[in-house]
Amino acid sequence: MNHSISQLFDLNGYSAIVTGGAMGIGKGIAIRLAEAGANVLIADIEDETEAEETMATIKALNVKSDYIKVDLRKIENVKLVVEKAISSFGDIHILVNNAGIFKYTAATEMSEELWDSTMNLNLKAMAFLSKEVANIMISKNHGGKIINISSVDSLKPTGNLAPYDASKGGVRMLTRSFAKELGKYGITVNDIAPGGVNTPGAAKMMGANVSAEQMAAMKAQTEQFLKSLPLQRMGEPEDIANAALFLASKASAYITGSTIIVDGGLLIL
Ligand SMILES: NC(=O)c1ccc[n+]([C@@H]2O[C@H](COP(=O)([O-])OP(=O)(O)OC[C@H]3O[C@@H](n4cnc5c(N)ncnc54)[C@H](O)[C@@H]3O)[C@@H](O)[C@H]2O)c1
């Protein structure tokens, strides 16, 4: 149990899957885990260009990296991701369920299609990928780390995000359910709840279906909001990646079923 600081955070010899690892928060996490020595499989719907770029950064760190192009809203693809990780690295020790979509809609106007695609990616894919990976970790008898990306919206709704908020509330409880059952196998399951983070997805959401005038108003609102936020800035993917490294490392050995809130103080406003 007596590890040096560098041993605590050393992921050499471990293999990880990061869903949605081509861009944004997932990319930040994939690179940080690789910096600690882990091999990383990126599972993403994004075209090869973004994923290739992330993979090149990872491979330059002298670890293995691979990519599988998948739409995780389709549950049958979950098994393909696990097969790819096993064929590329031989084992899985860390799973980061990060891929998620967030689209504004008034609760009174939400479509069944948006509800289904949000739930299928944000919650169902996470549940079934966790199931597959947990079974591998159990059969190999080496424990493991499952890290789910939830949101501050799992604790407090932003507004106009009902399907998203419901999915992220589900993530929070899914994390606790899995943690309760998997602890005896040495598998920890935790989630990270980010606040506002600068990512391509967040930029797209801000700019969706708005006029230049509305955009200017939103920018002014954001500036105002950032001034009122205790840490007075947006989060960066690296902020979330640092929490993910902690949860993937030996330093978090006695933590399971927990949420790490990484929000610059948003929830204490
Ligand atoms: N950015 C924020 O402010 C913020 C805040 C709270 C929580 N989060 C959560 O963090 C996670 C990542 O968000 P982000 O801001 O980096 O998003 P992003 O849109 O910038 O990146 C998401 C990644 O997921 C991939 N992806 C999307 N749909 C997919 C699908 N069907 N199958 C496989 N991959 C798919 C995308 O190609 C992309 O690489 C999400 O779960 C999101 O809910 C983000």
Side-chain angles (χ1 to χ4, degrees), residues 148-185:
N148 299 325
I149 305 303
S150 57
S151 168
V152 286
D153 274 59
S154 69
L155 297 151
K156 184 173 184 245
T158 300
N160 294 317
L161 281 167
Y164 179 75
D165 291 354
S167 75
K168 294 296 184 177
V171 169
R172 209 171 137 69
M173 196 44 76
L174 187 80
T175 300
R176 279 148 186 76
S177 298
F178 270 66
K180 194 161 188 161
E181 291 185 43
L182 298 181
K184 60 177 175 285
Y185 303 109

PDB file of all heavy atoms in Angstrom, residues 148-185:
ATOM      1  N   ASN A 148     -17.467   7.782 -15.010  1.00  0.00           N
ATOM      2  CA  ASN A 148     -18.562   8.285 -15.832  1.00  0.00           C
ATOM      3  C   ASN A 148     -18.575   9.810 -15.818  1.00  0.00           C
ATOM      4  O   ASN A 148     -18.389  10.416 -14.758  1.00  0.00           O
ATOM      5  CB  ASN A 148     -19.900   7.753 -15.303  1.00  0.00           C
ATOM      6  CG  ASN A 148     -19.974   6.236 -15.357  1.00  0.00           C
ATOM      7  OD1 ASN A 148     -19.437   5.619 -16.267  1.00  0.00           O
ATOM      8  ND2 ASN A 148     -20.641   5.636 -14.391  1.00  0.00           N
ATOM      9  N   ILE A 149     -18.815  10.408 -16.956  1.00  0.00           N
ATOM     10  CA  ILE A 149     -18.913  11.869 -16.976  1.00  0.00           C
ATOM     11  C   ILE A 149     -20.396  12.241 -16.873  1.00  0.00           C
ATOM     12  O   ILE A 149     -21.188  11.946 -17.780  1.00  0.00           O
ATOM     13  CB  ILE A 149     -18.278  12.477 -18.252  1.00  0.00           C
ATOM     14  CG1 ILE A 149     -16.817  12.013 -18.415  1.00  0.00           C
ATOM     15  CG2 ILE A 149     -18.365  14.007 -18.195  1.00  0.00           C
ATOM     16  CD1 ILE A 149     -15.880  12.323 -17.239  1.00  0.00           C
ATOM     17  N   SER A 150     -20.727  12.848 -15.745  1.00  0.00           N
ATOM     18  CA  SER A 150     -22.128  13.287 -15.561  1.00  0.00           C
ATOM     19  C   SER A 150     -22.181  14.769 -15.893  1.00  0.00           C
ATOM     20  O   SER A 150     -21.743  15.188 -16.972  1.00  0.00           O
ATOM     21  CB  SER A 150     -22.598  12.980 -14.137  1.00  0.00           C
ATOM     22  OG  SER A 150     -21.753  13.595 -13.167  1.00  0.00           O
ATOM     23  N   SER A 151     -22.677  15.590 -14.992  1.00  0.00           N
ATOM     24  CA  SER A 151     -22.768  17.035 -15.240  1.00  0.00           C
ATOM     25  C   SER A 151     -23.299  17.692 -13.974  1.00  0.00           C
ATOM     26  O   SER A 151     -23.978  17.029 -13.165  1.00  0.00           O
ATOM     27  CB  SER A 151     -23.764  17.302 -16.376  1.00  0.00           C
ATOM     28  OG  SER A 151     -24.075  18.682 -16.442  1.00  0.00           O
ATOM     29  N   VAL A 152     -23.044  18.984 -13.822  1.00  0.00           N
ATOM     30  CA  VAL A 152     -23.701  19.693 -12.711  1.00  0.00           C
ATOM     31  C   VAL A 152     -25.216  19.629 -12.879  1.00  0.00           C
ATOM     32  O   VAL A 152     -25.964  19.744 -11.913  1.00  0.00           O
ATOM     33  CB  VAL A 152     -23.254  21.176 -12.602  1.00  0.00           C
ATOM     34  CG1 VAL A 152     -21.850  21.290 -12.042  1.00  0.00           C
ATOM     35  CG2 VAL A 152     -23.374  21.904 -13.937  1.00  0.00           C
ATOM     36  N   ASP A 153     -25.654  19.396 -14.137  1.00  0.00           N
ATOM     37  CA  ASP A 153     -27.093  19.276 -14.380  1.00  0.00           C
ATOM     38  C   ASP A 153     -27.695  18.019 -13.747  1.00  0.00           C
ATOM     39  O   ASP A 153     -28.923  17.902 -13.696  1.00  0.00           O
ATOM     40  CB  ASP A 153     -27.385  19.301 -15.890  1.00  0.00           C
ATOM     41  CG  ASP A 153     -27.512  20.723 -16.391  1.00  0.00           C
ATOM     42  OD1 ASP A 153     -26.540  21.484 -16.229  1.00  0.00           O
ATOM     43  OD2 ASP A 153     -28.592  21.090 -16.910  1.00  0.00           O
ATOM     44  N   SER A 154     -26.861  17.094 -13.296  1.00  0.00           N
ATOM     45  CA  SER A 154     -27.407  15.930 -12.581  1.00  0.00           C
ATOM     46  C   SER A 154     -27.802  16.336 -11.163  1.00  0.00           C
ATOM     47  O   SER A 154     -28.466  15.596 -10.444  1.00  0.00           O
ATOM     48  CB  SER A 154     -26.365  14.805 -12.527  1.00  0.00           C
ATOM     49  OG  SER A 154     -25.292  15.163 -11.676  1.00  0.00           O
ATOM     50  N   LEU A 155     -27.371  17.542 -10.753  1.00  0.00           N
ATOM     51  CA  LEU A 155     -27.646  18.030  -9.391  1.00  0.00           C
ATOM     52  C   LEU A 155     -28.563  19.248  -9.389  1.00  0.00           C
ATOM     53  O   LEU A 155     -29.275  19.504  -8.429  1.00  0.00           O
ATOM     54  CB  LEU A 155     -26.323  18.394  -8.711  1.00  0.00           C
ATOM     55  CG  LEU A 155     -25.380  17.191  -8.527  1.00  0.00           C
ATOM     56  CD1 LEU A 155     -23.930  17.609  -8.549  1.00  0.00           C
ATOM     57  CD2 LEU A 155     -25.699  16.459  -7.244  1.00  0.00           C
ATOM     58  N   LYS A 156     -28.497  20.017 -10.490  1.00  0.00           N
ATOM     59  CA  LYS A 156     -29.290  21.255 -10.537  1.00  0.00           C
ATOM     60  C   LYS A 156     -29.563  21.586 -12.012  1.00  0.00           C
ATOM     61  O   LYS A 156     -28.605  21.773 -12.776  1.00  0.00           O
ATOM     62  CB  LYS A 156     -28.471  22.388  -9.904  1.00  0.00           C
ATOM     63  CG  LYS A 156     -29.183  23.698  -9.803  1.00  0.00           C
ATOM     64  CD  LYS A 156     -28.324  24.688  -9.003  1.00  0.00           C
ATOM     65  CE  LYS A 156     -29.068  25.990  -8.815  1.00  0.00           C
ATOM     66  NZ  LYS A 156     -28.463  27.108  -9.471  1.00  0.00           N
ATOM     67  N   PRO A 157     -30.835  21.613 -12.432  1.00  0.00           N
ATOM     68  CA  PRO A 157     -31.101  21.848 -13.856  1.00  0.00           C
ATOM     69  C   PRO A 157     -30.753  23.262 -14.308  1.00  0.00           C
ATOM     70  O   PRO A 157     -31.021  24.237 -13.611  1.00  0.00           O
ATOM     71  CB  PRO A 157     -32.606  21.595 -13.987  1.00  0.00           C
ATOM     72  CG  PRO A 157     -33.150  21.737 -12.612  1.00  0.00           C
ATOM     73  CD  PRO A 157     -32.046  21.408 -11.650  1.00  0.00           C
ATOM     74  N   THR A 158     -30.133  23.341 -15.495  1.00  0.00           N
ATOM     75  CA  THR A 158     -29.820  24.647 -16.076  1.00  0.00           C
ATOM     76  C   THR A 158     -31.081  25.294 -16.644  1.00  0.00           C
ATOM     77  O   THR A 158     -31.249  26.504 -16.612  1.00  0.00           O
ATOM     78  CB  THR A 158     -28.813  24.453 -17.244  1.00  0.00           C
ATOM     79  OG1 THR A 158     -27.653  23.848 -16.717  1.00  0.00           O
ATOM     80  CG2 THR A 158     -28.463  25.749 -17.941  1.00  0.00           C
ATOM     81  N   GLY A 159     -31.962  24.456 -17.183  1.00  0.00           N
ATOM     82  CA  GLY A 159     -33.159  24.939 -17.886  1.00  0.00           C
ATOM     83  C   GLY A 159     -33.051  24.623 -19.365  1.00  0.00           C
ATOM     84  O   GLY A 159     -31.958  24.677 -19.948  1.00  0.00           O
ATOM     85  N   ASN A 160     -34.166  24.250 -19.964  1.00  0.00           N
ATOM     86  CA  ASN A 160     -34.231  23.917 -21.394  1.00  0.00           C
ATOM     87  C   ASN A 160     -33.342  22.740 -21.780  1.00  0.00           C
ATOM     88  O   ASN A 160     -32.842  22.662 -22.903  1.00  0.00           O
ATOM     89  CB  ASN A 160     -33.901  25.139 -22.265  1.00  0.00           C
ATOM     90  CG  ASN A 160     -34.954  26.214 -22.136  1.00  0.00           C
ATOM     91  OD1 ASN A 160     -36.152  25.915 -22.127  1.00  0.00           O
ATOM     92  ND2 ASN A 160     -34.537  27.453 -21.989  1.00  0.00           N
ATOM     93  N   LEU A 161     -33.148  21.832 -20.843  1.00  0.00           N
ATOM     94  CA  LEU A 161     -32.313  20.654 -21.117  1.00  0.00           C
ATOM     95  C   LEU A 161     -32.937  19.402 -20.482  1.00  0.00           C
ATOM     96  O   LEU A 161     -32.220  18.547 -19.956  1.00  0.00           O
ATOM     97  CB  LEU A 161     -30.903  20.860 -20.543  1.00  0.00           C
ATOM     98  CG  LEU A 161     -29.924  21.739 -21.322  1.00  0.00           C
ATOM     99  CD1 LEU A 161     -28.708  22.090 -20.449  1.00  0.00           C
ATOM    100  CD2 LEU A 161     -29.446  21.052 -22.601  1.00  0.00           C
ATOM    101  N   ALA A 162     -34.260  19.287 -20.514  1.00  0.00           N
ATOM    102  CA  ALA A 162     -34.917  18.198 -19.759  1.00  0.00           C
ATOM    103  C   ALA A 162     -34.401  16.801 -20.120  1.00  0.00           C
ATOM    104  O   ALA A 162     -34.063  16.023 -19.211  1.00  0.00           O
ATOM    105  CB  ALA A 162     -36.430  18.283 -19.921  1.00  0.00           C
ATOM    106  N   PRO A 163     -34.301  16.431 -21.418  1.00  0.00           N
ATOM    107  CA  PRO A 163     -33.801  15.066 -21.708  1.00  0.00           C
ATOM    108  C   PRO A 163     -32.379  14.878 -21.194  1.00  0.00           C
ATOM    109  O   PRO A 163     -32.037  13.842 -20.620  1.00  0.00           O
ATOM    110  CB  PRO A 163     -33.846  14.973 -23.243  1.00  0.00           C
ATOM    111  CG  PRO A 163     -34.792  16.041 -23.675  1.00  0.00           C
ATOM    112  CD  PRO A 163     -34.674  17.136 -22.660  1.00  0.00           C
ATOM    113  N   TYR A 164     -31.547  15.897 -21.365  1.00  0.00           N
ATOM    114  CA  TYR A 164     -30.152  15.836 -20.906  1.00  0.00           C
ATOM    115  C   TYR A 164     -30.097  15.688 -19.383  1.00  0.00           C
ATOM    116  O   TYR A 164     -29.399  14.829 -18.844  1.00  0.00           O
ATOM    117  CB  TYR A 164     -29.442  17.114 -21.353  1.00  0.00           C
ATOM    118  CG  TYR A 164     -27.998  17.215 -20.924  1.00  0.00           C
ATOM    119  CD1 TYR A 164     -27.008  16.467 -21.558  1.00  0.00           C
ATOM    120  CD2 TYR A 164     -27.598  18.075 -19.894  1.00  0.00           C
ATOM    121  CE1 TYR A 164     -25.678  16.563 -21.173  1.00  0.00           C
ATOM    122  CE2 TYR A 164     -26.276  18.178 -19.501  1.00  0.00           C
ATOM    123  CZ  TYR A 164     -25.313  17.420 -20.146  1.00  0.00           C
ATOM    124  OH  TYR A 164     -24.001  17.519 -19.768  1.00  0.00           O
ATOM    125  N   ASP A 165     -30.851  16.541 -18.697  1.00  0.00           N
ATOM    126  CA  ASP A 165     -30.822  16.516 -17.232  1.00  0.00           C
ATOM    127  C   ASP A 165     -31.302  15.162 -16.698  1.00  0.00           C
ATOM    128  O   ASP A 165     -30.737  14.630 -15.737  1.00  0.00           O
ATOM    129  CB  ASP A 165     -31.692  17.634 -16.661  1.00  0.00           C
ATOM    130  CG  ASP A 165     -31.092  19.012 -16.926  1.00  0.00           C
ATOM    131  OD1 ASP A 165     -29.954  19.069 -17.447  1.00  0.00           O
ATOM    132  OD2 ASP A 165     -31.748  20.025 -16.629  1.00  0.00           O
ATOM    133  N   ALA A 166     -32.334  14.606 -17.350  1.00  0.00           N
ATOM    134  CA  ALA A 166     -32.834  13.291 -16.920  1.00  0.00           C
ATOM    135  C   ALA A 166     -31.765  12.227 -17.151  1.00  0.00           C
ATOM    136  O   ALA A 166     -31.532  11.363 -16.301  1.00  0.00           O
ATOM    137  CB  ALA A 166     -34.110  12.942 -17.682  1.00  0.00           C
ATOM    138  N   SER A 167     -31.072  12.310 -18.301  1.00  0.00           N
ATOM    139  CA  SER A 167     -30.032  11.308 -18.584  1.00  0.00           C
ATOM    140  C   SER A 167     -28.895  11.431 -17.569  1.00  0.00           C
ATOM    141  O   SER A 167     -28.380  10.433 -17.076  1.00  0.00           O
ATOM    142  CB  SER A 167     -29.500  11.451 -20.021  1.00  0.00           C
ATOM    143  OG  SER A 167     -28.635  12.575 -20.154  1.00  0.00           O
ATOM    144  N   LYS A 168     -28.507  12.648 -17.227  1.00  0.00           N
ATOM    145  CA  LYS A 168     -27.375  12.827 -16.313  1.00  0.00           C
ATOM    146  C   LYS A 168     -27.752  12.475 -14.865  1.00  0.00           C
ATOM    147  O   LYS A 168     -26.917  12.013 -14.099  1.00  0.00           O
ATOM    148  CB  LYS A 168     -26.831  14.256 -16.409  1.00  0.00           C
ATOM    149  CG  LYS A 168     -26.205  14.565 -17.775  1.00  0.00           C
ATOM    150  CD  LYS A 168     -24.977  13.705 -18.044  1.00  0.00           C
ATOM    151  CE  LYS A 168     -24.278  14.063 -19.343  1.00  0.00           C
ATOM    152  NZ  LYS A 168     -23.047  13.287 -19.580  1.00  0.00           N
ATOM    153  N   GLY A 169     -29.024  12.687 -14.501  1.00  0.00           N
ATOM    154  CA  GLY A 169     -29.490  12.207 -13.198  1.00  0.00           C
ATOM    155  C   GLY A 169     -29.373  10.686 -13.160  1.00  0.00           C
ATOM    156  O   GLY A 169     -28.958  10.092 -12.157  1.00  0.00           O
ATOM    157  N   GLY A 170     -29.688  10.053 -14.295  1.00  0.00           N
ATOM    158  CA  GLY A 170     -29.550   8.592 -14.416  1.00  0.00           C
ATOM    159  C   GLY A 170     -28.098   8.160 -14.273  1.00  0.00           C
ATOM    160  O   GLY A 170     -27.797   7.155 -13.619  1.00  0.00           O
ATOM    161  N   VAL A 171     -27.201   8.932 -14.870  1.00  0.00           N
ATOM    162  CA  VAL A 171     -25.764   8.603 -14.782  1.00  0.00           C
ATOM    163  C   VAL A 171     -25.323   8.570 -13.322  1.00  0.00           C
ATOM    164  O   VAL A 171     -24.598   7.682 -12.877  1.00  0.00           O
ATOM    165  CB  VAL A 171     -24.898   9.638 -15.557  1.00  0.00           C
ATOM    166  CG1 VAL A 171     -23.415   9.463 -15.253  1.00  0.00           C
ATOM    167  CG2 VAL A 171     -25.171   9.548 -17.058  1.00  0.00           C
ATOM    168  N   ARG A 172     -25.782   9.538 -12.577  1.00  0.00           N
ATOM    169  CA  ARG A 172     -25.413   9.632 -11.158  1.00  0.00           C
ATOM    170  C   ARG A 172     -25.845   8.375 -10.399  1.00  0.00           C
ATOM    171  O   ARG A 172     -25.083   7.800  -9.628  1.00  0.00           O
ATOM    172  CB  ARG A 172     -26.105  10.867 -10.575  1.00  0.00           C
ATOM    173  CG  ARG A 172     -25.380  11.495  -9.455  1.00  0.00           C
ATOM    174  CD  ARG A 172     -26.045  12.823  -9.114  1.00  0.00           C
ATOM    175  NE  ARG A 172     -26.145  12.946  -7.677  1.00  0.00           N
ATOM    176  CZ  ARG A 172     -25.114  13.110  -6.873  1.00  0.00           C
ATOM    177  NH1 ARG A 172     -23.904  13.188  -7.357  1.00  0.00           N
ATOM    178  NH2 ARG A 172     -25.284  13.216  -5.571  1.00  0.00           N
ATOM    179  N   MET A 173     -27.074   7.924 -10.637  1.00  0.00           N
ATOM    180  CA  MET A 173     -27.564   6.753  -9.902  1.00  0.00           C
ATOM    181  C   MET A 173     -26.989   5.454 -10.475  1.00  0.00           C
ATOM    182  O   MET A 173     -26.719   4.505  -9.733  1.00  0.00           O
ATOM    183  CB  MET A 173     -29.099   6.733  -9.922  1.00  0.00           C
ATOM    184  CG  MET A 173     -29.703   5.799  -8.894  1.00  0.00           C
ATOM    185  SD  MET A 173     -28.918   5.892  -7.243  1.00  0.00           S
ATOM    186  CE  MET A 173     -29.610   7.419  -6.618  1.00  0.00           C
ATOM    187  N   LEU A 174     -26.758   5.429 -11.801  1.00  0.00           N
ATOM    188  CA  LEU A 174     -26.109   4.257 -12.413  1.00  0.00           C
ATOM    189  C   LEU A 174     -24.723   4.050 -11.793  1.00  0.00           C
ATOM    190  O   LEU A 174     -24.317   2.931 -11.479  1.00  0.00           O
ATOM    191  CB  LEU A 174     -25.970   4.485 -13.924  1.00  0.00           C
ATOM    192  CG  LEU A 174     -25.479   3.299 -14.745  1.00  0.00           C
ATOM    193  CD1 LEU A 174     -26.619   2.330 -14.997  1.00  0.00           C
ATOM    194  CD2 LEU A 174     -24.901   3.769 -16.075  1.00  0.00           C
ATOM    195  N   THR A 175     -24.016   5.157 -11.603  1.00  0.00           N
ATOM    196  CA  THR A 175     -22.685   5.117 -10.985  1.00  0.00           C
ATOM    197  C   THR A 175     -22.767   4.458  -9.617  1.00  0.00           C
ATOM    198  O   THR A 175     -21.981   3.562  -9.276  1.00  0.00           O
ATOM    199  CB  THR A 175     -22.129   6.557 -10.842  1.00  0.00           C
ATOM    200  OG1 THR A 175     -22.042   7.137 -12.146  1.00  0.00           O
ATOM    201  CG2 THR A 175     -20.768   6.585 -10.166  1.00  0.00           C
ATOM    202  N   ARG A 176     -23.741   4.865  -8.830  1.00  0.00           N
ATOM    203  CA  ARG A 176     -23.863   4.324  -7.475  1.00  0.00           C
ATOM    204  C   ARG A 176     -24.291   2.848  -7.484  1.00  0.00           C
ATOM    205  O   ARG A 176     -23.813   2.048  -6.679  1.00  0.00           O
ATOM    206  CB  ARG A 176     -24.851   5.173  -6.672  1.00  0.00           C
ATOM    207  CG  ARG A 176     -24.152   6.411  -6.145  1.00  0.00           C
ATOM    208  CD  ARG A 176     -25.030   7.634  -6.030  1.00  0.00           C
ATOM    209  NE  ARG A 176     -24.210   8.770  -5.652  1.00  0.00           N
ATOM    210  CZ  ARG A 176     -23.389   9.423  -6.478  1.00  0.00           C
ATOM    211  NH1 ARG A 176     -23.303   9.058  -7.764  1.00  0.00           N
ATOM    212  NH2 ARG A 176     -22.661  10.432  -6.067  1.00  0.00           N
ATOM    213  N   SER A 177     -25.200   2.498  -8.410  1.00  0.00           N
ATOM    214  CA  SER A 177     -25.649   1.092  -8.496  1.00  0.00           C
ATOM    215  C   SER A 177     -24.488   0.180  -8.846  1.00  0.00           C
ATOM    216  O   SER A 177     -24.283  -0.855  -8.210  1.00  0.00           O
ATOM    217  CB  SER A 177     -26.726   0.936  -9.574  1.00  0.00           C
ATOM    218  OG  SER A 177     -27.834   1.694  -9.247  1.00  0.00           O
ATOM    219  N   PHE A 178     -23.734   0.563  -9.881  1.00  0.00           N
ATOM    220  CA  PHE A 178     -22.587  -0.266 -10.290  1.00  0.00           C
ATOM    221  C   PHE A 178     -21.540  -0.314  -9.171  1.00  0.00           C
ATOM    222  O   PHE A 178     -20.951  -1.351  -8.899  1.00  0.00           O
ATOM    223  CB  PHE A 178     -21.965   0.270 -11.596  1.00  0.00           C
ATOM    224  CG  PHE A 178     -22.566  -0.340 -12.843  1.00  0.00           C
ATOM    225  CD1 PHE A 178     -23.879  -0.107 -13.202  1.00  0.00           C
ATOM    226  CD2 PHE A 178     -21.802  -1.157 -13.664  1.00  0.00           C
ATOM    227  CE1 PHE A 178     -24.427  -0.673 -14.350  1.00  0.00           C
ATOM    228  CE2 PHE A 178     -22.343  -1.735 -14.807  1.00  0.00           C
ATOM    229  CZ  PHE A 178     -23.656  -1.498 -15.152  1.00  0.00           C
ATOM    230  N   ALA A 179     -21.310   0.840  -8.534  1.00  0.00           N
ATOM    231  CA  ALA A 179     -20.287   0.887  -7.478  1.00  0.00           C
ATOM    232  C   ALA A 179     -20.640  -0.097  -6.354  1.00  0.00           C
ATOM    233  O   ALA A 179     -19.776  -0.802  -5.833  1.00  0.00           O
ATOM    234  CB  ALA A 179     -20.174   2.302  -6.921  1.00  0.00           C
ATOM    235  N   LYS A 180     -21.919  -0.137  -5.998  1.00  0.00           N
ATOM    236  CA  LYS A 180     -22.362  -1.004  -4.902  1.00  0.00           C
ATOM    237  C   LYS A 180     -22.112  -2.477  -5.232  1.00  0.00           C
ATOM    238  O   LYS A 180     -21.684  -3.245  -4.398  1.00  0.00           O
ATOM    239  CB  LYS A 180     -23.856  -0.757  -4.662  1.00  0.00           C
ATOM    240  CG  LYS A 180     -24.365  -1.324  -3.384  1.00  0.00           C
ATOM    241  CD  LYS A 180     -25.669  -0.664  -2.981  1.00  0.00           C
ATOM    242  CE  LYS A 180     -26.064  -1.123  -1.597  1.00  0.00           C
ATOM    243  NZ  LYS A 180     -27.024  -0.260  -0.968  1.00  0.00           N
ATOM    244  N   GLU A 181     -22.376  -2.857  -6.488  1.00  0.00           N
ATOM    245  CA  GLU A 181     -22.248  -4.272  -6.849  1.00  0.00           C
ATOM    246  C   GLU A 181     -20.827  -4.682  -7.199  1.00  0.00           C
ATOM    247  O   GLU A 181     -20.467  -5.853  -7.092  1.00  0.00           O
ATOM    248  CB  GLU A 181     -23.167  -4.577  -8.035  1.00  0.00           C
ATOM    249  CG  GLU A 181     -24.634  -4.510  -7.659  1.00  0.00           C
ATOM    250  CD  GLU A 181     -25.526  -4.939  -8.809  1.00  0.00           C
ATOM    251  OE1 GLU A 181     -25.216  -5.934  -9.489  1.00  0.00           O
ATOM    252  OE2 GLU A 181     -26.531  -4.238  -9.042  1.00  0.00           O
ATOM    253  N   LEU A 182     -20.016  -3.735  -7.683  1.00  0.00           N
ATOM    254  CA  LEU A 182     -18.697  -4.114  -8.221  1.00  0.00           C
ATOM    255  C   LEU A 182     -17.545  -3.960  -7.240  1.00  0.00           C
ATOM    256  O   LEU A 182     -16.442  -4.430  -7.501  1.00  0.00           O
ATOM    257  CB  LEU A 182     -18.397  -3.305  -9.493  1.00  0.00           C
ATOM    258  CG  LEU A 182     -19.357  -3.528 -10.666  1.00  0.00           C
ATOM    259  CD1 LEU A 182     -18.934  -2.699 -11.868  1.00  0.00           C
ATOM    260  CD2 LEU A 182     -19.425  -5.003 -11.050  1.00  0.00           C
ATOM    261  N   GLY A 183     -17.809  -3.319  -6.102  1.00  0.00           N
ATOM    262  CA  GLY A 183     -16.734  -3.098  -5.129  1.00  0.00           C
ATOM    263  C   GLY A 183     -16.040  -4.386  -4.720  1.00  0.00           C
ATOM    264  O   GLY A 183     -14.809  -4.431  -4.579  1.00  0.00           O
ATOM    265  N   LYS A 184     -16.823  -5.444  -4.556  1.00  0.00           N
ATOM    266  CA  LYS A 184     -16.225  -6.715  -4.082  1.00  0.00           C
ATOM    267  C   LYS A 184     -15.259  -7.322  -5.099  1.00  0.00           C
ATOM    268  O   LYS A 184     -14.488  -8.212  -4.765  1.00  0.00           O
ATOM    269  CB  LYS A 184     -17.314  -7.717  -3.704  1.00  0.00           C
ATOM    270  CG  LYS A 184     -18.267  -8.123  -4.806  1.00  0.00           C
ATOM    271  CD  LYS A 184     -19.240  -9.189  -4.264  1.00  0.00           C
ATOM    272  CE  LYS A 184     -20.319  -9.571  -5.255  1.00  0.00           C
ATOM    273  NZ  LYS A 184     -21.370  -8.549  -5.392  1.00  0.00           N
ATOM    274  N   TYR A 185     -15.311  -6.831  -6.332  1.00  0.00           N
ATOM    275  CA  TYR A 185     -14.361  -7.305  -7.357  1.00  0.00           C
ATOM    276  C   TYR A 185     -13.170  -6.354  -7.508  1.00  0.00           C
ATOM    277  O   TYR A 185     -12.382  -6.474  -8.442  1.00  0.00           O
ATOM    278  CB  TYR A 185     -15.054  -7.445  -8.718  1.00  0.00           C
ATOM    279  CG  TYR A 185     -16.252  -8.368  -8.679  1.00  0.00           C
ATOM    280  CD1 TYR A 185     -17.551  -7.864  -8.788  1.00  0.00           C
ATOM    281  CD2 TYR A 185     -16.078  -9.750  -8.536  1.00  0.00           C
ATOM    282  CE1 TYR A 185     -18.649  -8.705  -8.747  1.00  0.00           C
ATOM    283  CE2 TYR A 185     -17.177 -10.599  -8.495  1.00  0.00           C
ATOM    284  CZ  TYR A 185     -18.460 -10.061  -8.598  1.00  0.00           C
ATOM    285  OH  TYR A 185     -19.531 -10.911  -8.551  1.00  0.00           O
TER     286      TYR A 185
END
